[in-house]
Short mmCIF file of all heavy atoms in Angstrom, two decimals:
data_model
loop_
_atom_site.label_atom_id
_atom_site.label_comp_id
_atom_site.label_asym_id
_atom_site.label_seq_id
_atom_site.Cartn_x
_atom_site.Cartn_y
_atom_site.Cartn_z
N ASP A 28 -17.66 -15.73 12.73
CA ASP A 28 -17.74 -17.10 12.24
C ASP A 28 -16.76 -17.26 11.07
O ASP A 28 -17.10 -17.02 9.91
CB ASP A 28 -19.19 -17.39 11.80
CG ASP A 28 -19.35 -18.82 11.30
OD1 ASP A 28 -18.42 -19.63 11.51
OD2 ASP A 28 -20.39 -19.11 10.69
N THR A 29 -15.53 -17.62 11.39
CA THR A 29 -14.52 -17.86 10.36
C THR A 29 -13.57 -18.94 10.86
O THR A 29 -13.66 -19.37 12.01
CB THR A 29 -13.74 -16.56 10.04
OG1 THR A 29 -12.96 -16.76 8.87
CG2 THR A 29 -12.83 -16.12 11.18
N TRP A 33 -9.95 -21.38 6.32
CA TRP A 33 -10.57 -20.58 5.23
C TRP A 33 -9.68 -19.39 4.89
O TRP A 33 -9.40 -19.13 3.72
CB TRP A 33 -11.97 -20.08 5.64
CG TRP A 33 -12.74 -19.49 4.46
CD1 TRP A 33 -13.63 -20.12 3.66
CD2 TRP A 33 -12.62 -18.14 3.94
NE1 TRP A 33 -14.09 -19.27 2.67
CE2 TRP A 33 -13.49 -18.05 2.81
CE3 TRP A 33 -11.87 -17.02 4.29
CZ2 TRP A 33 -13.64 -16.88 2.06
CZ3 TRP A 33 -12.02 -15.86 3.52
CH2 TRP A 33 -12.89 -15.79 2.42
N ARG A 37 -7.96 -19.06 1.27
CA ARG A 37 -8.52 -18.07 0.33
C ARG A 37 -7.68 -16.80 0.19
O ARG A 37 -7.80 -16.09 -0.80
CB ARG A 37 -9.96 -17.66 0.75
CG ARG A 37 -10.95 -18.78 0.95
CD ARG A 37 -11.00 -19.74 -0.19
NE ARG A 37 -11.55 -19.18 -1.42
CZ ARG A 37 -11.46 -19.74 -2.61
NH1 ARG A 37 -10.82 -20.89 -2.76
NH2 ARG A 37 -12.01 -19.17 -3.67
N THR A 38 -6.81 -16.51 1.20
CA THR A 38 -6.05 -15.25 1.14
C THR A 38 -4.55 -15.40 1.38
O THR A 38 -3.79 -14.51 1.01
CB THR A 38 -6.57 -14.25 2.21
OG1 THR A 38 -6.16 -14.70 3.51
CG2 THR A 38 -8.08 -14.11 2.20
N CYS A 114 -4.99 1.21 -2.62
CA CYS A 114 -3.90 0.24 -2.72
C CYS A 114 -2.85 0.65 -3.75
O CYS A 114 -1.71 0.21 -3.69
CB CYS A 114 -4.47 -1.13 -3.08
SG CYS A 114 -5.66 -1.68 -1.86
N ARG A 155 -17.06 -10.42 7.46
CA ARG A 155 -15.86 -11.27 7.55
C ARG A 155 -15.04 -11.33 6.28
O ARG A 155 -13.82 -11.52 6.33
CB ARG A 155 -16.25 -12.69 7.99
CG ARG A 155 -17.12 -13.42 6.99
CD ARG A 155 -17.57 -14.78 7.50
NE ARG A 155 -18.45 -15.42 6.52
CZ ARG A 155 -18.94 -16.63 6.64
NH1 ARG A 155 -18.68 -17.34 7.72
NH2 ARG A 155 -19.72 -17.14 5.71
N SER A 156 -15.67 -11.21 5.10
CA SER A 156 -14.86 -11.37 3.88
C SER A 156 -13.87 -10.21 3.71
O SER A 156 -12.85 -10.36 3.03
CB SER A 156 -15.75 -11.54 2.64
OG SER A 156 -16.53 -10.40 2.45
N VAL A 159 -11.13 -9.89 7.59
CA VAL A 159 -10.00 -10.79 7.81
C VAL A 159 -8.79 -10.36 6.97
O VAL A 159 -7.67 -10.84 7.19
CB VAL A 159 -10.36 -12.27 7.51
CG1 VAL A 159 -11.52 -12.73 8.39
CG2 VAL A 159 -10.69 -12.51 6.04
N ILE A 160 -9.04 -9.49 6.00
CA ILE A 160 -7.98 -9.14 5.04
C ILE A 160 -7.23 -7.86 5.42
O ILE A 160 -6.01 -7.83 5.45
CB ILE A 160 -8.60 -8.93 3.63
CG1 ILE A 160 -9.18 -10.24 3.12
CG2 ILE A 160 -7.56 -8.38 2.66
CD1 ILE A 160 -9.84 -10.11 1.76
N PHE A 161 -7.99 -6.78 5.68
CA PHE A 161 -7.37 -5.46 5.79
C PHE A 161 -6.74 -5.22 7.17
O PHE A 161 -7.25 -5.71 8.19
CB PHE A 161 -8.38 -4.36 5.45
CG PHE A 161 -8.77 -4.38 4.00
CD1 PHE A 161 -9.95 -4.99 3.59
CD2 PHE A 161 -7.94 -3.84 3.04
CE1 PHE A 161 -10.30 -5.03 2.25
CE2 PHE A 161 -8.28 -3.88 1.69
CZ PHE A 161 -9.47 -4.48 1.29
N LEU A 194 -15.43 -1.16 -4.11
CA LEU A 194 -14.57 -1.23 -2.91
C LEU A 194 -14.49 0.18 -2.36
O LEU A 194 -13.79 1.03 -2.91
CB LEU A 194 -13.18 -1.78 -3.29
CG LEU A 194 -12.07 -1.74 -2.24
CD1 LEU A 194 -12.51 -2.33 -0.91
CD2 LEU A 194 -10.85 -2.49 -2.75
N MET A 221 -16.74 -4.24 0.20
CA MET A 221 -15.99 -4.73 -0.97
C MET A 221 -16.74 -5.86 -1.65
O MET A 221 -17.19 -6.80 -0.99
CB MET A 221 -14.61 -5.23 -0.54
CG MET A 221 -13.83 -5.88 -1.68
SD MET A 221 -12.10 -6.19 -1.31
CE MET A 221 -12.21 -7.57 -0.19
N GLY A 223 -15.69 -8.59 -3.29
CA GLY A 223 -14.40 -9.28 -3.42
C GLY A 223 -14.21 -10.00 -4.74
O GLY A 223 -13.12 -9.95 -5.33
N ASN A 224 -15.26 -10.64 -5.24
CA ASN A 224 -15.13 -11.40 -6.49
C ASN A 224 -14.82 -10.50 -7.68
O ASN A 224 -13.96 -10.81 -8.50
CB ASN A 224 -16.41 -12.20 -6.77
CG ASN A 224 -16.55 -13.34 -5.79
OD1 ASN A 224 -15.64 -14.13 -5.62
ND2 ASN A 224 -17.68 -13.41 -5.10
N VAL A 226 -13.51 -7.46 -7.56
CA VAL A 226 -12.17 -6.89 -7.38
C VAL A 226 -11.11 -7.91 -7.81
O VAL A 226 -10.17 -7.59 -8.56
CB VAL A 226 -11.94 -6.46 -5.91
CG1 VAL A 226 -10.51 -5.96 -5.71
CG2 VAL A 226 -12.94 -5.39 -5.49
N PHE A 227 -11.29 -9.13 -7.39
CA PHE A 227 -10.33 -10.20 -7.70
C PHE A 227 -10.18 -10.36 -9.21
O PHE A 227 -9.07 -10.38 -9.75
CB PHE A 227 -10.82 -11.52 -7.07
CG PHE A 227 -9.78 -12.60 -7.02
CD1 PHE A 227 -9.12 -12.90 -5.84
CD2 PHE A 227 -9.46 -13.32 -8.16
CE1 PHE A 227 -8.15 -13.90 -5.80
CE2 PHE A 227 -8.49 -14.31 -8.13
CZ PHE A 227 -7.84 -14.61 -6.94
N HIS A 258 1.49 -5.25 -4.79
CA HIS A 258 0.65 -4.88 -3.65
C HIS A 258 0.12 -6.17 -3.03
O HIS A 258 -0.33 -7.07 -3.73
CB HIS A 258 -0.50 -3.98 -4.12
CG HIS A 258 -1.63 -3.93 -3.15
ND1 HIS A 258 -1.45 -3.56 -1.84
CD2 HIS A 258 -2.95 -4.23 -3.29
CE1 HIS A 258 -2.62 -3.62 -1.22
NE2 HIS A 258 -3.54 -4.04 -2.07
N ALA A 260 -2.48 -7.90 -1.81
CA ALA A 260 -3.95 -7.91 -1.75
C ALA A 260 -4.46 -9.27 -1.31
O ALA A 260 -5.40 -9.38 -0.50
CB ALA A 260 -4.52 -7.56 -3.11
N ASN A 261 -3.87 -10.31 -1.89
CA ASN A 261 -4.31 -11.68 -1.64
C ASN A 261 -3.21 -12.55 -2.23
O ASN A 261 -2.80 -12.32 -3.38
CB ASN A 261 -5.67 -11.91 -2.36
CG ASN A 261 -6.22 -13.30 -2.13
OD1 ASN A 261 -5.48 -14.28 -2.10
ND2 ASN A 261 -7.53 -13.38 -1.97
N ARG A 263 -3.33 -15.38 -3.43
CA ARG A 263 -3.76 -16.05 -4.66
C ARG A 263 -3.60 -15.12 -5.87
O ARG A 263 -3.28 -15.56 -6.96
CB ARG A 263 -5.24 -16.49 -4.54
CG ARG A 263 -5.41 -17.72 -3.66
CD ARG A 263 -6.82 -18.28 -3.80
NE ARG A 263 -7.81 -17.36 -3.28
CZ ARG A 263 -9.01 -17.13 -3.83
NH1 ARG A 263 -9.37 -17.73 -4.93
NH2 ARG A 263 -9.85 -16.28 -3.28
N ILE A 264 -3.81 -13.82 -5.65
CA ILE A 264 -3.62 -12.86 -6.75
C ILE A 264 -2.13 -12.81 -7.12
O ILE A 264 -1.76 -12.90 -8.29
CB ILE A 264 -4.15 -11.45 -6.37
CG1 ILE A 264 -5.66 -11.49 -6.14
CG2 ILE A 264 -3.78 -10.42 -7.45
CD1 ILE A 264 -6.30 -10.15 -5.76
N ASN A 288 -3.54 -7.19 4.24
CA ASN A 288 -3.53 -6.14 3.20
C ASN A 288 -3.54 -4.78 3.88
O ASN A 288 -4.54 -4.38 4.46
CB ASN A 288 -4.77 -6.33 2.30
CG ASN A 288 -4.89 -5.28 1.22
OD1 ASN A 288 -4.28 -4.21 1.29
ND2 ASN A 288 -5.72 -5.56 0.24
N PHE A 318 -3.12 -2.78 -7.52
CA PHE A 318 -4.50 -2.64 -7.99
C PHE A 318 -5.39 -2.45 -6.77
O PHE A 318 -5.16 -3.08 -5.74
CB PHE A 318 -4.95 -3.92 -8.73
CG PHE A 318 -6.37 -3.83 -9.22
CD1 PHE A 318 -6.66 -3.28 -10.45
CD2 PHE A 318 -7.43 -4.24 -8.40
CE1 PHE A 318 -7.98 -3.16 -10.88
CE2 PHE A 318 -8.75 -4.11 -8.83
CZ PHE A 318 -9.03 -3.57 -10.08
N GLY A 319 -6.38 -1.57 -6.87
CA GLY A 319 -7.27 -1.40 -5.73
C GLY A 319 -8.43 -0.47 -6.00
O GLY A 319 -8.80 -0.23 -7.16
O1 LIG B 1 -6.37 -4.53 -2.06
C1 LIG B 1 -7.01 -4.59 -3.28
C2 LIG B 1 -8.40 -4.91 -3.17
N1 LIG B 1 -8.77 -6.16 -2.59
C3 LIG B 1 -8.56 -7.34 -3.17
O2 LIG B 1 -7.83 -7.50 -4.10
C4 LIG B 1 -9.37 -8.49 -2.67
C5 LIG B 1 -9.88 -9.33 -3.82
N2 LIG B 1 -10.80 -10.37 -3.43
C6 LIG B 1 -10.47 -11.40 -2.65
O3 LIG B 1 -9.36 -11.50 -2.18
C7 LIG B 1 -11.48 -12.49 -2.41
O4 LIG B 1 -12.60 -12.26 -3.24
C8 LIG B 1 -11.94 -12.61 -0.93
C9 LIG B 1 -10.79 -13.16 -0.10
C10 LIG B 1 -12.39 -11.28 -0.40
C11 LIG B 1 -13.09 -13.60 -0.84
O5 LIG B 1 -12.68 -14.85 -1.31
P1 LIG B 1 -13.60 -15.64 -2.35
O6 LIG B 1 -12.92 -16.89 -2.62
O7 LIG B 1 -13.88 -14.72 -3.48
O8 LIG B 1 -14.89 -15.95 -1.48
P2 LIG B 1 -16.40 -15.51 -1.71
O9 LIG B 1 -16.58 -14.08 -1.36
O10 LIG B 1 -16.84 -15.98 -3.06
O11 LIG B 1 -17.12 -16.40 -0.62
C12 LIG B 1 -17.10 -17.83 -0.68
C13 LIG B 1 -17.74 -18.35 0.59
C14 LIG B 1 -19.08 -17.68 0.92
O12 LIG B 1 -19.92 -18.68 1.49
P3 LIG B 1 -21.08 -19.40 0.61
O13 LIG B 1 -21.97 -18.28 0.15
O14 LIG B 1 -20.35 -20.07 -0.51
O15 LIG B 1 -21.70 -20.33 1.58
C15 LIG B 1 -18.74 -16.67 1.97
O16 LIG B 1 -19.81 -16.38 2.83
O17 LIG B 1 -16.88 -18.09 1.70
C16 LIG B 1 -17.63 -17.40 2.73
N3 LIG B 1 -16.74 -16.51 3.44
C17 LIG B 1 -16.06 -16.86 4.53
N4 LIG B 1 -16.04 -18.02 5.23
C18 LIG B 1 -15.23 -18.05 6.32
C19 LIG B 1 -16.42 -15.24 3.12
N5 LIG B 1 -15.55 -14.75 4.02
C20 LIG B 1 -15.31 -15.74 4.91
C21 LIG B 1 -14.50 -15.84 6.06
N6 LIG B 1 -14.50 -17.02 6.74
N7 LIG B 1 -13.72 -14.83 6.49
#
Side-chain angles (χ1 to χ4, degrees):
D28 181 12
T29 191
W33 191 95
R37 306 309 292 166
T38 72
C114 302
R155 65 184 177 176
S156 62
V159 301
I160 296 179
F161 292 99
L194 171 50
M221 175 169 73
N224 289 308
V226 176
F227 195 102
H258 161 55
N261 181 322
R263 285 192 294 141
I264 296 180
N288 178 342
F318 179 88

